[in-house]
Amino acid sequence: MIEVKNLTKKFPVSRKEYLVAVDNVSFQVEKGEIFGLLGPNGAGKTTCLEIIEGVQKPTSGETLIDGLETHKHPDEIKQKIGIQLQASSYFDHLTLGEIINLFASFYHKEVEVDRLLEIVGLKDRKKSLVRQLSGGQKQRFSICATLVNDPEIVFLDEPTTGLDPQARRNIWDFISKINQEGKTIVLTTHYMEEAQTLCDRVGIMDLGKIVALDTPLNLINKLRAAAIINFHTDREFPIFELQKIEGVYEVEHLGNHSYHLHAGKGVEVLPKINALAKKKNIKIEDEEVLHATLEDVFLELTGKALKE
């Protein structure tokens, strides 16, 4: 549904200097999938989406939606996409139902207002004003507003920022429901759990480049240390013995006979640790295996240091 080919966007900061926001990026989004674009602030995610949507023009490269070049066929593209921005403003004195009808008139379409509002759980607020909605309800209405032209692709730019955990989970449910109706979804988010839960594939951006692209599970499994193992012993366990175990990459002795290991898959390493402990007549207690998450992938690829 979406093809991005060698996309570059430069912003002039002086007569001779440019800020490269998007740096030779290429990827595809398949029909019917939920695709996530992740990255630190300033990584180029929003700029990349805005070029795909036709809001900005690229410095070089091209973007295609359903085979149509974005900037050569803007009118056709607008019929195929729906966009929810990071922040939206609506008319203060129009009800939700009136706003939906107004937006639909831009596309010369009649919409079933009740059905659209029902999708996002706001049918009973049809005659309410936007200012009367909670934060979560406003976000759900923003998603509803992207659906007025029955788009094939829905772009969601940080759809759950600032919401409490319950409201965030509700938005996840609505995104999944829209996807199940056959719509392709592209979203940006800073919440790794959100991307891991919703996305079929994710692209991780850093400094304007795509540094990884795969399913969340595949990205996690590619980590050298896909598990963290914690345990206590009844006496000191020689660290050099633990370091020799295949699949163990880092060992920390935390004191009081407590150990913290970075390892490959826990199901493979833990039996080896237990076998060695039995051989050494060391008793292991309180074993805990924590599996890596997409957040671990994100931090390994982009680093922990704040970038300007």
Side-chain angles (χ1 to χ4, degrees):
M1 287 299 287
I2 298 174
E3 290 182 85
V4 178
K5 300 179 180 180
N6 306 117
L7 187 63
T8 296
K9 178 66 177 181
K10 298 179 181 180
F11 293 99
V13 292
S14 69
R15 288 185 177 181
K16 295 182 179 180
E17 292 183 311
Y18 289 88
L19 170 68
V20 182
V22 181
D23 190 359
N24 196 32
V25 165
S26 297
F27 63 89
Q28 295 181 338
V29 179
E30 303 297 330
K31 182 177 176 64
E33 78 173 333
I34 301 180
F35 182 88
L37 203 54
L38 316 179
N41 289 329
K45 307 182 300 296
T46 297
T47 301
C48 188
L49 286 194
E50 288 181 348
I51 294 172
I52 297 170
E53 296 159 353
V55 177
Q56 292 198 46
K57 291 184 177 180
T59 303
S60 62
E62 62 177 350
T63 57
L64 297 93
I65 289 180
D66 200 16
L68 297 174
E69 211 283 324
T70 304
H71 298 89
K72 292 180 180 177
H73 305 276
D75 292 336
E76 293 95 324
I77 294 299
K78 288 173 186 175
Q79 302 300 320
K80 291 178 177 288
I81 66 174
I83 304 172
Q84 184 219 15
L85 304 175
Q86 285 184 19
S88 302
S89 297
Y90 298 100
F91 298 95
D92 291 336
H93 302 291
L94 295 181
T95 65
L96 303 192
E98 289 168 341
I99 292 172
I100 293 296
N101 277 320
L102 175 64
F103 284 9
S105 70
F106 301 156
Y107 299 94
H108 308 290
K109 286 190 176 183
E110 291 188 13
V111 299
E112 298 178 46
V113 176
D114 288 351
R115 179 182 172 276
L116 279 181
L117 291 173
E118 188 173 14
I119 290 174
V120 295
L122 292 174
K123 184 179 177 180
D124 61 332
R125 306 303 301 269
K126 178 180 177 180
K127 295 184 179 180
S128 299
L129 303 177
V130 173
R131 65 171 177 265
Q132 296 171 323
L133 303 180
S134 67
Q137 288 173 330
K138 288 178 182 177
Q139 289 291 75
R140 279 150 52 192
F141 181 68
S142 290
I143 294 175
C144 179
T146 71
L147 304 177
V148 295
N149 61 324
D150 192 24
E152 297 174 52
I153 304 172
V154 178
F155 292 92
L156 305 174
D157 200 356
E158 298 186 22
T160 63
T161 296
L163 300 184
D164 63 66
Q166 186 183 51
R168 187 177 302 138
R169 293 278 178 172
N170 285 335
I171 295 292
W172 295 359
D173 290 340
F174 297 126
I175 292 173
S176 295
K177 186 174 181 180
I178 293 166
N179 178 245
Q180 288 164 9
E181 293 188 355
K183 300 192 185 304
T184 302
I185 296 175
V186 180
L187 63 87
T188 68
T189 179
H190 283 119
Y191 298 111
M192 296 302 109
E193 183 187 6
E194 180 168 291
Q196 192 168 334
T197 300
L198 289 175
C199 295
D200 299 299
R201 291 188 304 137
V202 297
I204 298 178
M205 289 190 73
D206 192 29
L207 300 176
K209 294 180 178 290
I210 295 279
V211 295
L213 178 60
D214 210 330
T215 67
L217 183 59
N218 284 345
L219 289 173
I220 291 168
N221 287 337
K222 288 176 184 175
L223 281 175
R224 190 171 72 122
I228 293 172
I229 300 174
N230 298 313
F231 59 85
H232 299 278
T233 61
D234 62 341
R235 58 191 180 87
E236 189 170 335
F237 205 137
I239 288 181
F240 72 92
E241 294 278 10
L242 290 170
Q243 290 172 332
K244 289 194 297 184
I245 296 174
E246 185 179 357
V248 172
Y249 302 110
E250 186 179 341
V251 180
E252 295 180 64
H253 185 193
L254 304 178
N256 297 320
H257 302 156
S258 296
Y259 297 86
H260 179 84
L261 282 68
H262 292 264
K265 294 180 181 178
V267 292
E268 297 173 357
V269 175
L270 199 57
K272 298 175 184 177
I273 295 172
N274 289 326
L276 180 61
K278 186 176 181 180
K279 183 179 179 181
K280 297 285 185 181
N281 198 27
I282 297 174
K283 184 180 179 182
I284 290 183
E285 300 174 337
D286 302 325
E287 287 180 327
E288 178 185 39
V289 179
L290 304 175
H291 296 285
T293 66
L294 196 57
E295 184 167 340
D296 297 305
V297 176
F298 183 89
L299 291 174
E300 180 168 297
L301 292 171
T302 65
K304 297 179 181 179
L306 181 65
K307 300 184 182 75
E308 294 295 343

